[in-house]
Amino acid sequence: MATISLQNVTKAFGKNNVIHGINADVKDGEFIVIVGPSGCGKSTLLRMVAGLEIITDGEICINNKRVNELEPMERDIAMVFQNYALYPHMSVFDNMAYGLKIAKIPKNEILQRVNTAAEILQLQDYLKRKPRELSGGQRQRVAMGRAIVRKPAVFLFDEPLSNLDAKLRVQMRLEIKALQKELGVTSLYVTHDQVEAMTLADRMIVMNAGNADQIGAPLEVYNDPQSTFVAGFIGSPPMNFLNNLFAQNQQLDSSAQQAIDRLLTDLPTEVSATLQQQDNDNLTIGIRPEHLSLCEPPTAHLIGKVKYTEPLGAETLLYIEVQNQQTITLRQAGDIEIPAAGDSCFIRVNTALICLFDSKGKRIQI
Amino acid sequence: MAASGMVIKRGKSSWLSHIGMIIGVIIVCFPIYLAFITSTITPEQVAHPPMPLLPGDQLLHNYQQAFFSGINAPVWKMLVNSLVMAMGIAVGKIMISLLSAFAIVYFRFPLRKTFFWLIFLTLMLPVEVRIVPTYEVIANFGMLNSYSGLILPLVASATATFLFRQFFMTIPNELAEAARVDGASPMRFFWDILLPMSRTNIAALFVILFIYGWNQYLWPLLITTKPEMNTIVMGIKQMFPVGGEVPDWPLIMATSILAMLPPILVVVCMQKLFIKGLVDSEK
């Protein structure tokens, strides 16, 4: 049971700054997912909390105690590694018991704790096996078991599911979530998979090139992204970005011009006001694929041409080229008729849900 | 395809290749067989050709004489000396190179790379090149005619250090980190994890180094002057008379056969560990 606080945490390898000051507070029992593309510093951040990397600047506190100088073991954490890092020559039992043996916990208590963990993870039948005799999912469970038996204050997960196949990943994801809720242990979880992040997190930290772009609950981040990076990274397919939609000097035919004018009048007044206030050439309009729909010509906001389609059964993704050679994605329900590639199409925008971003990609709040 | 073909193929070509191999084995084994025959006959029979090709009746007598009295020193004494030296060198080399490889791979200390290359450089110098200064050092320490004098100059091993370094570098770093999170101290990690994981490497090296130590010739020849400190490999050479006398061939050959047995034993015993290591690969 623990809280974690990161205060202006910075990491530099030599002169190379990889993490530029991260602030975050984690409440007791919270499941925090750190998500970002590879190389954004998310694993480094986790390893700094674990004590495997030295903290260049700033402070990490677990339960309000500064842990910067403590060894991993003294921080009361347990970590699950991407490649599981099981000791290959030890049985499953010994793998799980190793940390307890070092901590000089009495034998019968070790036995009891490992058996309890094995029961939770359904590993009772495998305790005598070596890691190489287990499947990927079982190894993953052993790695989790090793973390559980220590009864740590904090769980740290470093992309624990990325070595598993897609089906198993979904199953283990649910198991991890259930386990964390059951044990109520504060957890930090690193992943590059935004679906994992969305499904697991109580709150998530979206990282971009060493910065925390946004911290918030998954749906809050999804519905209210603070930057074009977050909007593009969270959600699949990503948010559509449109530039120069209302520029004056475009060569548009009359129907397209009518559509654009209709869009401008249909936008919430605050949005259109902002668009007129500023030099609107530099603004980016963001709209989620599911907030677009096909419509009849008289109500269209955008006119485009279908490039190709992806019918996924439950839903269909349409890739449509609109003005200025910009391609947007439209998501519609699977039972709606699918236009053929090359067809002209008319798109209606759910204007209330438009996001505006400035030239640096920051969200303009309206 | 070729390999499976060879297994299935029957008839003439299979017989031919078998005959070829049998001839090869005979060529390799015949001198050893001859040595064994010589060790079972009387010196007179050796001196008067033709030599018999079947074992004589002196087997027990010759081996008893060689084992318990020998010419300069009894063979059992020399065998013990060789065993101590070979074991000392093999075990010493493995311990030292394991520890130095551990230091080089897992610790960051100043001049780490330099130290590694210094160790590596000694590979370039064979024992013979540095034998005079080494002799001087050992003589000054008063280690002539002693086991420590026989073993110590030969225990440092760049080859073994290099081998363990390469092996440790293939072990994923997460394993060391997991041990750290589990609260293992560096030496604990070494004992509990690195050492058990290296055991097949250790077994392989042990075989090679034991034979290397057993076959040392030049160094024991220089460092030991007393017959009771002779090792068996150099001891055989010492059995030849200095003057024009006829050497006692049966005795010498009995000693040679005895000298071959321990290395064979080590290879045969360790082979099982070898194969086990190859079959169930860990990682």
Side-chain angles (χ1 to χ4, degrees):
Chain A
M1 305 303 104
T3 60
I4 308 168
S5 103
L6 310 178
Q7 278 147 35
N8 204 23
V9 173
T10 308
K11 176 75 191 176
F13 290 111
K15 282 183 186 157
N16 204 359
N17 243 357
V18 292
I19 290 179
H20 314 278
I22 295 211
N23 291 292
D25 279 301
V26 180
K27 292 193 281 286
D28 184 23
E30 216 175 1
F31 199 123
I32 297 285
V33 175
I34 306 172
V35 62
S38 16
C40 70
K42 56 191 189 304
S43 279
T44 311
L45 183 65
L46 189 80
R47 290 162 55 82
M48 285 200 284
V49 178
L52 297 169
E53 297 280 358
I54 292 164
I55 298 155
T56 312
D57 202 9
E59 196 172 58
I60 294 179
C61 298
I62 297 177
N63 269 336
N64 302 318
K65 198 176 109 206
R66 179 183 159 97
V67 296
N68 284 30
E69 288 78 24
L70 294 182
E71 271 290 301
M73 187 222 168
E74 300 160 331
R75 299 188 184 195
D76 202 11
I77 51 124
M79 187 152 172
V80 178
F81 293 87
Q82 179 176 359
N83 62 2
Y84 323 132
L86 301 177
Y87 311 122
H89 59 287
M90 291 187 192
S91 66
V92 168
F93 181 92
D94 288 335
N95 260 293
M96 295 213 259
Y98 187 59
L100 302 178
K101 271 182 198 155
I102 290 174
K104 300 215 166 58
I105 285 169
K107 270 225 171 82
N108 48 358
E109 198 190 331
I110 293 181
L111 196 71
Q112 184 239 322
R113 280 211 215 172
V114 173
N115 282 332
T116 314
E119 205 172 305
I120 296 173
L121 297 164
Q122 293 153 20
L123 284 169
Q124 299 103 308
D125 300 339
Y126 304 104
L127 284 175
K128 289 208 178 74
R129 295 224 193 148
K130 295 274 172 70
R132 64 167 178 276
E133 296 161 326
L134 301 178
S135 69
Q138 290 165 337
R139 286 184 208 185
Q140 180 58 52
R141 288 211 189 91
V142 178
M144 303 260 302
R146 194 162 65 174
I148 293 172
V149 292
R150 308 246 325 269
K151 298 190 177 163
V154 178
F155 279 146
L156 304 175
F157 298 92
D158 189 0
E159 306 206 15
L161 303 182
S162 48
N163 280 7
L164 301 177
D165 61 61
K167 204 175 164 196
L168 205 53
R169 205 177 299 161
V170 175
Q171 186 195 337
M172 287 305 289
R173 193 169 77 200
L174 295 171
E175 284 183 25
I176 288 179
K177 174 99 173 170
L179 194 65
Q180 196 268 345
K181 285 281 161 281
E182 190 184 322
L183 301 172
V185 177
T186 315
S187 302
L188 288 184
Y189 185 108
V190 163
T191 181
H192 59 260
D193 182 348
Q194 50 100 11
V195 179
E196 246 170 60
M198 293 292 290
T199 50
L200 284 172
D202 289 330
R203 282 193 301 154
M204 59 198 214
I205 303 177
V206 185
M207 282 191 68
N208 175 24
N211 290 305
D213 263 24
Q214 189 168 359
I215 303 177
L219 284 180
E220 184 187 320
V221 172
Y222 186 81
N223 292 327
D224 199 10
Q226 294 305 305
S227 69
T228 46
F229 172 79
V230 175
F233 191 76
I234 301 297
S236 171
M239 186 182 263
N240 295 304
F241 299 113
L242 289 164
N243 293 308
N244 294 325
L245 211 52
F246 305 107
Q248 297 301 327
N249 52 354
Q250 301 180 85
Q251 302 298 317
L252 294 175
D253 57 45
S254 58
S255 60
Q257 191 59 51
Q258 276 173 15
I260 285 292
D261 291 343
R262 198 175 296 122
L263 176 58
L264 203 55
T265 39
D266 282 356
L267 283 173
T269 42
E270 300 92 335
V271 176
S272 47
T274 317
L275 279 169
Q276 269 140 29
Q277 246 171 44
Q278 306 211 13
D279 181 10
N280 59 23
D281 285 358
N282 290 332
L283 293 183
T284 302
I285 292 174
I287 183 81
R288 294 270 176 209
E290 61 270 31
H291 299 147
L292 298 171
S293 56
L294 295 183
C295 64
E296 294 303 315
T299 53
H301 288 144
L302 290 166
I303 297 173
K305 204 177 191 188
V306 178
K307 279 172 86 182
Y308 45 92
T309 60
E310 283 181 348
L312 299 173
E315 60 183 30
T316 309
L317 301 178
L318 307 177
Y319 296 85
I320 300 165
E321 187 176 320
V322 295
Q323 49 183 291
N324 302 337
Q325 278 88 50
Q326 299 184 96
T327 301
I328 57 171
T329 319
L330 183 151
R331 171 187 267 156
Q332 65 177 18
D335 50 2
I336 299 178
E337 194 191 340
I338 304 166
D343 282 3
S344 288
C345 62
F346 303 91
I347 304 160
R348 192 161 173 83
V349 178
N350 188 343
T351 48
L353 298 170
I354 269 181
C355 299
L356 273 187
F357 300 94
D358 67 16
S359 56
K360 293 193 180 93
K362 284 265 167 289
R363 176 78 183 275
I364 300 171
Q365 289 295 350
I366 292 159
Chain B
M1 199 215 114
S4 64
M6 247 149 76
V7 174
I8 299 161
K9 196 159 51 183
R10 295 180 201 285
K12 251 184 211 162
S13 59
S14 153
W15 279 106
L16 269 176
S17 55
H18 267 90
I19 288 169
M21 285 189 278
I22 287 166
I23 292 173
V25 168
I26 289 174
I27 291 174
V28 171
C29 290
F30 187 67
I32 298 169
Y33 177 73
L34 212 60
F36 175 71
I37 296 298
T38 316
S39 71
T40 60
I41 53 180
T42 59
E44 290 73 34
Q45 280 175 290
V46 181
H48 297 288
M51 240 188 79
L53 280 177
L54 289 171
D57 54 358
Q58 298 295 307
L59 183 119
L60 222 56
H61 170 263
N62 285 342
Y63 278 85
Q64 241 168 20
Q65 206 197 341
F67 201 73
F68 294 110
S69 49
I71 294 177
N72 301 308
V75 169
W76 71 264
K77 183 77 197 158
M78 294 199 287
L79 278 173
V80 168
N81 292 342
S82 273
L83 196 72
V84 170
M85 184 181 180
M87 287 297 273
I89 288 174
V91 173
K93 264 183 196 270
I94 286 169
M95 284 200 312
I96 288 175
S97 46
L98 264 173
L99 286 171
S100 45
F102 177 54
I104 284 169
V105 175
Y106 286 97
F107 292 86
R108 278 191 212 114
F109 51 89
L111 300 179
R112 177 164 77 135
K113 283 257 162 66
T114 320
F115 276 113
F116 172 70
W117 287 110
L118 270 179
I119 295 172
F120 195 71
L121 262 181
T122 62
L123 264 180
M124 318 285 166
L125 291 177
V127 180
E128 289 73 15
V129 174
R130 49 191 162 91
I131 209 150
V132 175
T134 312
Y135 183 85
E136 174 86 17
V137 170
I138 294 300
N140 287 343
F141 276 130
M143 289 183 184
L144 297 178
N145 284 316
S146 71
Y147 289 135
S148 36
L150 279 171
I151 295 165
L152 286 185
L154 299 170
V155 286
S157 171
T159 327
T161 309
F162 189 69
L163 192 126
F164 282 125
R165 171 185 178 262
Q166 297 309 99
F167 173 65
F168 289 168
M169 285 183 1
T170 65
I171 295 177
N173 223 354
E174 279 88 349
L175 223 54
E177 287 172 348
R180 231 178 116 192
V181 173
D182 270 342
S185 65
M187 280 323 281
R188 185 90 196 239
F189 169 67
F190 178 76
W191 275 110
D192 287 353
I193 291 148
L194 274 189
L195 211 60
M197 283 180 73
S198 331
R199 64 174 194 278
T200 50
N201 285 47
I202 291 174
L205 255 188
F206 180 82
V207 173
I208 296 165
L209 293 177
F210 182 87
I211 291 168
Y212 165 85
W214 188 268
N215 286 344
Q216 279 303 312
Y217 176 69
L218 186 60
W219 183 246
L221 196 66
L222 285 174
I223 205 98
T224 62
T225 45
K226 293 183 191 156
E228 67 266 25
M229 285 304 295
N230 283 355
T231 61
I232 190 135
V233 174
M234 61 161 295
I236 294 171
K237 177 73 176 68
Q238 305 290 68
M239 290 172 125
F240 289 92
V242 196
E245 298 158 58
V246 182
D248 189 345
W249 285 115
L251 214 58
I252 293 172
M253 285 304 144
T255 312
S256 302
I257 295 287
L258 286 172
M260 282 191 301
L261 291 180
I264 290 174
L265 221 65
V266 167
V267 171
V268 169
C269 292
M270 297 303 247
Q271 210 167 23
K272 277 181 193 154
L273 241 176
F274 253 173
I275 292 165
K276 190 167 172 279
L278 290 178
V279 171
D280 49 45
S281 76
E282 308 198 294
K283 265 191 299 170

